Amino acid sequence: MITRFRRVLGLGVGAALLLVAPVALAHDGPGDHTQAPRDARSVTEAVLVGEGANTYQSVPNWCQIPEGRKNLGPTHGGVIVDKKGEIYFSMNSGDEGLLVYGADGKMIKGIGGKDLVGIHGICLNEENGEEFIYGAMNDKGKVVKLKLDGTVVWTIGVPMESGKYKAANQYHPTGVAVGPDGSVYVLDTYNQAIRRIKDSMVTTLVGGDGIIGLIDGPGTAARLGAQAGMTFARGQLFVSDVGSARIRAITPGDDASTTRVVTFAGSGRLALEDGSGDVASLAAPMALAAASDGTIWLADAGNKAIRRMAPAR
C-alpha cells in the first residue's frame, strides 16, 4: 500500500522529549526551529513547533523533579501512556526501572526496582481488559512482561536453543512489539535478527547469522542492517533499519521460511524528502509508533524530524 511521508516536526539536538526532558524548542517561523537553553527553568513561555494540523505546543517545566533529587537521571529507552493517561518512561540508572508521571507533570511513583533498570525498547499491550508492559533489556539480555505496578509476570533470557549464541552475553534485545495474537516480537539488533516469543517458545523469523545487509525475501534469506525501532500495525511488523536508512515491513509466518520481508519505504539517500514508497528519503530512522488508524509515526534522528506514514486513502 502506498504511503506518504511528511515531516511534521523539526527537533533540535537533544530535544527527544518535549514534555519529559529538560530541553525545549524555540520557534522563529515556519520550518525554522532552534534549540532553546537546556535549563528548562529558563523557559518561561510555551513555544510552538510543527505546522498546520501538526502544530504542537511545549509545556515549560512540565516534568517536576521529585524532592531530594537534582535530576531524573538518564532516561534512555522508551515512553508509554496507559488508558488513564499516566506516563511511564524507562530509566537507565537509579533505584527504579520505570518512573510514572501524571499529565500534570508530577511524579506518581517509581516501579520495578533496580532489577528493571536498563529497559531499552518498551511497549504497552491490553489483554482481556488489563494492560501490560513489555520491555527489552539490552544490557541484561532478557525480555520482561510486567503489570502496571511493576510486578514481573515473566522473564525470558537468551534463546541458547537457537544455536546462534556461544555465550549469553551475545544477546542484546533492543526493541519489542506485541501482535494481536499475543506473540511477542523482539529486535535482536546486534545479531541482525527478529525473534518471536509465543507460548514461551522462541523462534527466529528473520536473520540471526549476524550478516548485515539489505535483502528482501523469506526470513531465511532476508538481511537487515542495524535495527533501531519496531511497531506492529496492519498485520505487519514495521522496523526502522537505520543501517540502510529504510523502513522494512515483515509479515510473520509460522517460521523463517514462511516469513516475508520487504522494503517498505526509503530511497537509501540520506536526505529529508517526502513522498511515497522508495521516493521518500530518511536519515537515521529510529523509534516507531503506530496509531489505531494505521498511521505510523517515525523519529527520523538524522533529519531531526518526526515523520508520518499514513495509509493511502
CSV table of all heavy atoms in Angstrom, one decimal, residues 164-190:
chain,number,residue,atom,x,y,z
A,164,LYS,N,22.5,-19.8,17.9
A,164,LYS,CA,23.2,-18.6,17.4
A,164,LYS,C,24.1,-17.9,18.4
A,164,LYS,O,24.8,-17.0,18.0
A,164,LYS,CB,22.1,-17.6,17.0
A,164,LYS,CG,21.1,-18.1,15.9
A,164,LYS,CD,21.7,-18.5,14.6
A,164,LYS,CE,20.7,-18.9,13.6
A,164,LYS,NZ,21.3,-19.4,12.3
A,165,TYR,N,24.2,-18.4,19.6
A,165,TYR,CA,25.0,-17.8,20.6
A,165,TYR,C,26.0,-18.8,21.2
A,165,TYR,O,25.6,-19.9,21.6
A,165,TYR,CB,24.1,-17.2,21.7
A,165,TYR,CG,23.0,-16.3,21.2
A,165,TYR,CD1,21.7,-16.9,21.0
A,165,TYR,CD2,23.2,-15.0,20.9
A,165,TYR,CE1,20.7,-16.1,20.5
A,165,TYR,CE2,22.2,-14.2,20.4
A,165,TYR,CZ,20.9,-14.7,20.2
A,165,TYR,OH,19.9,-14.0,19.8
A,166,LYS,N,27.2,-18.3,21.4
A,166,LYS,CA,28.2,-19.1,22.1
A,166,LYS,C,28.2,-18.8,23.6
A,166,LYS,O,28.6,-19.6,24.4
A,166,LYS,CB,29.6,-18.8,21.5
A,166,LYS,CG,29.7,-19.3,20.0
A,166,LYS,CD,31.1,-19.0,19.5
A,166,LYS,CE,31.3,-19.5,18.1
A,166,LYS,NZ,32.6,-19.2,17.5
A,167,ALA,N,27.7,-17.6,23.9
A,167,ALA,CA,27.6,-17.2,25.3
A,167,ALA,C,26.4,-16.3,25.5
A,167,ALA,O,25.9,-15.6,24.5
A,167,ALA,CB,28.9,-16.5,25.7
A,168,ALA,N,25.9,-16.3,26.7
A,168,ALA,CA,24.7,-15.5,27.0
A,168,ALA,C,24.9,-14.0,26.7
A,168,ALA,O,24.0,-13.3,26.4
A,168,ALA,CB,24.2,-15.7,28.4
A,169,ASN,N,26.1,-13.5,26.9
A,169,ASN,CA,26.4,-12.1,26.8
A,169,ASN,C,26.4,-11.6,25.3
A,169,ASN,O,26.7,-10.4,25.0
A,169,ASN,CB,27.7,-11.7,27.5
A,169,ASN,CG,28.9,-12.4,26.9
A,169,ASN,OD1,28.8,-13.1,25.9
A,169,ASN,ND2,30.0,-12.2,27.5
A,170,GLN,N,26.1,-12.5,24.4
A,170,GLN,CA,26.0,-12.1,23.0
A,170,GLN,C,24.6,-11.7,22.6
A,170,GLN,O,24.3,-11.2,21.5
A,170,GLN,CB,26.4,-13.3,22.1
A,170,GLN,CG,27.9,-13.6,22.2
A,170,GLN,CD,28.2,-14.8,21.4
A,170,GLN,OE1,27.5,-15.7,21.2
A,170,GLN,NE2,29.5,-14.8,20.8
A,171,TYR,N,23.6,-11.8,23.5
A,171,TYR,CA,22.2,-11.5,23.3
A,171,TYR,C,21.9,-10.1,23.8
A,171,TYR,O,22.0,-9.9,25.0
A,171,TYR,CB,21.3,-12.6,23.9
A,171,TYR,CG,19.9,-12.4,23.7
A,171,TYR,CD1,19.3,-12.2,22.4
A,171,TYR,CD2,19.0,-12.5,24.8
A,171,TYR,CE1,17.9,-12.1,22.2
A,171,TYR,CE2,17.6,-12.4,24.6
A,171,TYR,CZ,17.1,-12.2,23.3
A,171,TYR,OH,15.7,-12.0,23.2
A,172,HIS,N,21.5,-9.2,23.0
A,172,HIS,CA,21.2,-7.8,23.4
A,172,HIS,C,19.9,-7.3,22.8
A,172,HIS,O,19.9,-6.6,21.8
A,172,HIS,CB,22.3,-6.9,23.0
A,172,HIS,CG,23.6,-7.2,23.6
A,172,HIS,ND1,23.9,-7.0,24.9
A,172,HIS,CD2,24.7,-7.9,23.1
A,172,HIS,CE1,25.2,-7.4,25.2
A,172,HIS,NE2,25.6,-8.0,24.1
A,173,PRO,N,18.7,-7.8,23.3
A,173,PRO,CA,17.4,-7.3,22.7
A,173,PRO,C,17.2,-5.8,22.9
A,173,PRO,O,17.4,-5.3,24.0
A,173,PRO,CB,16.4,-8.1,23.5
A,173,PRO,CG,17.1,-8.5,24.8
A,173,PRO,CD,18.5,-8.6,24.4
A,174,THR,N,16.9,-5.1,21.9
A,174,THR,CA,16.7,-3.7,22.0
A,174,THR,C,15.3,-3.2,21.7
A,174,THR,O,15.0,-2.0,22.1
A,174,THR,CB,17.6,-3.0,20.9
A,174,THR,OG1,17.3,-3.5,19.6
A,174,THR,CG2,19.1,-3.3,21.2
A,175,GLY,N,14.4,-3.9,21.1
A,175,GLY,CA,13.1,-3.5,20.9
A,175,GLY,C,12.1,-4.6,21.0
A,175,GLY,O,12.5,-5.8,21.0
A,176,VAL,N,10.8,-4.3,21.3
A,176,VAL,CA,9.8,-5.3,21.5
A,176,VAL,C,8.5,-4.7,21.0
A,176,VAL,O,8.2,-3.5,21.0
A,176,VAL,CB,9.7,-5.6,23.0
A,176,VAL,CG1,9.3,-4.4,23.8
A,176,VAL,CG2,8.8,-6.8,23.3
A,177,ALA,N,7.7,-5.7,20.4
A,177,ALA,CA,6.3,-5.3,20.0
A,177,ALA,C,5.4,-6.6,20.2
A,177,ALA,O,5.9,-7.7,20.2
A,177,ALA,CB,6.3,-4.9,18.5
A,178,VAL,N,4.1,-6.3,20.3
A,178,VAL,CA,3.2,-7.4,20.6
A,178,VAL,C,2.2,-7.5,19.5
A,178,VAL,O,1.6,-6.5,19.1
A,178,VAL,CB,2.5,-7.3,21.9
A,178,VAL,CG1,1.6,-8.5,22.2
A,178,VAL,CG2,3.5,-7.2,23.1
A,179,GLY,N,2.0,-8.7,18.9
A,179,GLY,CA,1.0,-8.9,17.8
A,179,GLY,C,-0.4,-9.1,18.4
A,179,GLY,O,-0.6,-9.4,19.6
A,180,PRO,N,-1.4,-9.1,17.6
A,180,PRO,CA,-2.8,-9.3,18.0
A,180,PRO,C,-3.1,-10.7,18.6
A,180,PRO,O,-4.0,-10.8,19.4
A,180,PRO,CB,-3.6,-9.1,16.8
A,180,PRO,CG,-2.7,-9.3,15.6
A,180,PRO,CD,-1.4,-8.8,16.1
A,181,ASP,N,-2.3,-11.7,18.3
A,181,ASP,CA,-2.4,-13.0,18.9
A,181,ASP,C,-1.6,-13.2,20.2
A,181,ASP,O,-1.6,-14.3,20.7
A,181,ASP,CB,-2.1,-14.1,17.9
A,181,ASP,CG,-0.6,-14.1,17.5
A,181,ASP,OD1,0.1,-13.1,17.9
A,181,ASP,OD2,-0.1,-15.1,16.9
A,182,GLY,N,-1.0,-12.1,20.6
A,182,GLY,CA,-0.2,-12.2,21.8
A,182,GLY,C,1.3,-12.6,21.6
A,182,GLY,O,2.0,-12.6,22.6
A,183,SER,N,1.6,-12.8,20.4
A,183,SER,CA,3.1,-13.1,20.1
A,183,SER,C,3.9,-11.9,20.4
A,183,SER,O,3.5,-10.7,20.1
A,183,SER,CB,3.2,-13.5,18.6
A,183,SER,OG,2.6,-14.7,18.3
A,184,VAL,N,5.1,-12.1,21.0
A,184,VAL,CA,6.0,-11.0,21.3
A,184,VAL,C,7.1,-11.0,20.4
A,184,VAL,O,7.8,-12.1,20.2
A,184,VAL,CB,6.5,-11.1,22.8
A,184,VAL,CG1,7.4,-10.0,23.1
A,184,VAL,CG2,5.3,-11.2,23.7
A,185,TYR,N,7.4,-9.9,19.7
A,185,TYR,CA,8.5,-9.9,18.7
A,185,TYR,C,9.6,-9.0,19.3
A,185,TYR,O,9.4,-8.0,19.9
A,185,TYR,CB,7.9,-9.2,17.4
A,185,TYR,CG,6.8,-10.0,16.8
A,185,TYR,CD1,5.5,-9.8,17.0
A,185,TYR,CD2,7.1,-11.1,15.9
A,185,TYR,CE1,4.5,-10.5,16.5
A,185,TYR,CE2,6.1,-11.8,15.3
A,185,TYR,CZ,4.8,-11.6,15.6
A,185,TYR,OH,3.8,-12.3,15.1
A,186,VAL,N,10.8,-9.5,19.1
A,186,VAL,CA,12.0,-9.0,19.7
A,186,VAL,C,13.0,-8.6,18.7
A,186,VAL,O,13.4,-9.4,17.8
A,186,VAL,CB,12.6,-9.9,20.7
A,186,VAL,CG1,13.8,-9.3,21.4
A,186,VAL,CG2,11.6,-10.4,21.8
A,187,LEU,N,13.5,-7.4,18.7
A,187,LEU,CA,14.7,-7.0,17.9
A,187,LEU,C,16.0,-7.4,18.6
A,187,LEU,O,16.3,-7.0,19.7
A,187,LEU,CB,14.7,-5.5,17.8
A,187,LEU,CG,13.8,-4.8,16.8
A,187,LEU,CD1,14.0,-3.3,16.8
A,187,LEU,CD2,13.9,-5.3,15.4
A,188,ASP,N,16.7,-8.3,17.9
A,188,ASP,CA,18.0,-8.8,18.4
A,188,ASP,C,19.0,-8.0,17.5
A,188,ASP,O,19.6,-8.6,16.6
A,188,ASP,CB,18.1,-10.3,18.3
A,188,ASP,CG,19.4,-10.8,18.9
A,188,ASP,OD1,20.2,-10.0,19.4
A,188,ASP,OD2,19.6,-12.0,18.8
A,189,THR,N,19.1,-6.7,17.7
A,189,THR,CA,19.8,-5.8,16.8
A,189,THR,C,21.2,-6.2,16.5
A,189,THR,O,21.6,-6.2,15.3
A,189,THR,CB,19.8,-4.4,17.3
A,189,THR,OG1,18.4,-4.0,17.5
A,189,THR,CG2,20.5,-3.4,16.4
A,190,TYR,N,22.0,-6.6,17.5
A,190,TYR,CA,23.4,-6.8,17.2
A,190,TYR,C,23.7,-8.2,16.5
A,190,TYR,O,24.8,-8.4,16.1
A,190,TYR,CB,24.2,-6.7,18.5
A,190,TYR,CG,24.0,-5.3,19.1
A,190,TYR,CD1,23.2,-5.1,20.2
A,190,TYR,CD2,24.6,-4.2,18.5
A,190,TYR,CE1,23.0,-3.8,20.8
A,190,TYR,CE2,24.4,-2.9,19.1
A,190,TYR,CZ,23.6,-2.8,20.2
A,190,TYR,OH,23.4,-1.5,20.7
